[in-house]
Structure formats: C-alpha cells, structure tokens
Amino acid sequence: MPMNETMQLLDLTVNGEGVRVAAGASVAQLIAQMELDTRKVAVERNLEIVPRSLYAVTLLAAGDALEIVHFVGGG
Amino acid sequence: MDTDDCWTVAGRRFASRLIVGTGKYKDLETTATAIEASGAEMVTVAVRRVNLSDRKAPMLQDYVSPQKYTYLPNTAGCFTADEAVRTLRLAREAGGWNLVKLEVLGPPPLLYPDMEATLLAAKALIADGFEVMVYCADDPVAARKLEDMGCVAIMPLGAPIGSGLGVQNPLMIQSIIEGAKVPVLVDAGVGTAWDAAFAMELGCDAVLVNSAIALADDPVMMARAVSHGVQAGRLAFRAGRIPRKGFASASSPMTGLIR
C-alpha cells in the first residue's frame, strides 16, 4: 500500500463517539485499538451485525456507525 | 433443591425454579455472592454499549460466569419492537445462544408491557430463530397469542417492575397458567420471599426476581430467603392445599371428651 494511503485516517462513530482509525483498518483492528476482548463483545456496523468470524475481513469506511456492546447487570 | 422436580424450557432442564436478575446490585462482588446464594441456574443480563472511556472496568462475565449460569439476555430499555429485535441480535452474537427474554415496555411510571409491540417483536424474533421467553401483561388472551406464536415461556408481571408489590392479579396469573402448555413464570413485582412463595403456590413453573434481592439490606440473606420461598411455594402447590371454607372444622376429636 502506498505511503500516502497508509497515513490517511477514517472518521467513524463508535457508540456515539467520534473515533479515528487508519484507512484500510478492519473491525478486528478497531477492536484491538480499543483493547477490547472480542470474546465478550458484539459489533453492529451501520445497523448490520458483524459476525465475530468476519471481524478480520470487514473493512471500515469513513462515516461508518458502529455499536460495540457487551453484557451488563440487568433484570 | 429438589432435583426430582425439574422444569424444562426450550429443551433445557433446570432444578432451580428461581431465575435472578443481575441488575441494581451495589457492586459485582455482591452480585456474584447473592446469585450463588440464590441457587439460581439462569440469570438475566442486559446488553449495553461498552464504555469507551473506561475499557478496563470489571465486566459481569468475570464475576457471573456464562459457563456456570445460563445467561438470559433481556431487552430492558426497549420501547419499540425494532429496538428489541436489534438488541437481541447483538446479544446472540455476543453470547452465541438464542434463548432470550423479550420485554417491550410502555412509558413510566408503570413500564407496563406494550403488548402490541411485544407481539410484533416476538414474531420477528421467532422467525429469526430465537427462543423467546416473553415478559407480558397479566392478560390471558395476549398470553395465548404469544404461546400460539411459538414463545417458549410466558412471563406475566406480578406487579410493575421493581415495585415490590407482589402478585396483584392472582386470578389472571392462575388463568394464564391453566391455559398454557409452555412454562409460565411470574416475572416482576416480587418484593420478598412470601411473594415468590405465593406465585409458586398459584402453580407457576418458576419466578424471576431482581430488585427484591439486589436492593434488600442484606442481598445475600434475601437471596436465600427468596430461594426458600420458591421451594416452599412449589412444595405447597404440589402437596395440594385444603379448600377455603367459611366455617370452622375442629382439629381435635369431638369424641372422648371428659364429662
């Protein structure tokens, strides 16, 4: 990948907050960047579930809206 | 626990007839200890955004193991069918199982089940392969519709969530139990052990309790109390109570009295 492309950043929205990742980053890389445990979270991208098995091959695009959730106490 | 008196939901067998919520505890240590004391085998959990500003915060799963307890993800906080379906699709991906608790609520202050939205969501979830345990109104007609649709358990409220008022409408709860072929659980409103015992005496298969335990002065002791209440109520139901009469029947012989 040419140098000028690797330096580009993508603006995403994750859980309602602005987050930047390197152009070409996958969902797996986003989760790693956030230091989350993939076994304990679920990811929705633009209202579609991203199966855990596809994190590495699901590439992010500018403007993507992601929800990353986990289980918390509830009744 | 009476292991000869199990109940089954969606092919899963449970000895404990108490399901507990994991919300409202003061900390995760107390959550874990109280749940252990309750003897519950199934726990409800909510699905929420990961806190991005505090990613190292302790997680429920580290205290209440999904390997030890059957996690029942809920749709608490959902006020439309779409929100509920979206939430449970995420729960299925996070947990890898499809047994869920559906609840679609109306507005405060009652958070009473919105049955129109609940029926819509149940239909969509069942079509998508979920096994749906459904929180619902104490309404035998709606309960029948949910069962006919394919819900695996019917869970009418005893009283509004967190109200601690106990079973307010025993006639309708009993009517739902009598009409159902799937398990019926009283899901909300239990305030103390007696309420759980009463629900079980009506013939429920199980009860679901959160606030009564989590917010008690001593949650661990209350977990034990509610567990005993559930077991006492279940035994009383199986034993068969005497009919109610409007007159006295002496318990001691009326013959052989001294004169």
Side-chain angles (χ1 to χ4, degrees), chain A residues 14-16 33-36 39-44 47 49-52 67-75, chain B residues 21-23 44-50 52 55-56 59-62 74 86 89-91 93-94 101 210:
Chain A
V14 181
N15 292 356
Q33 178 179 324
M34 300 191 139
E35 300 173 52
L36 299 173
R39 294 165 303 172
K40 292 177 183 169
V41 301
V43 178
E44 184 195 78
L47 301 177
I49 298 282
V50 183
R52 203 167 279 144
E67 294 286 343
I68 304 179
V69 302
H70 65 157
F71 291 124
V72 301
Chain B
T22 56
T44 58
V45 296
V47 178
R48 290 292 180 272
R49 283 173 165 175
V50 170
L52 299 182
R55 294 163 205 167
K56 296 292 171 197
M59 289 170 92
L60 180 69
Q61 277 149 289
D62 300 327
N74 70 23
R86 193 177 161 204
R89 284 183 177 145
L90 278 163
E93 183 59 28
K101 170 182 165 178
N210 190 348

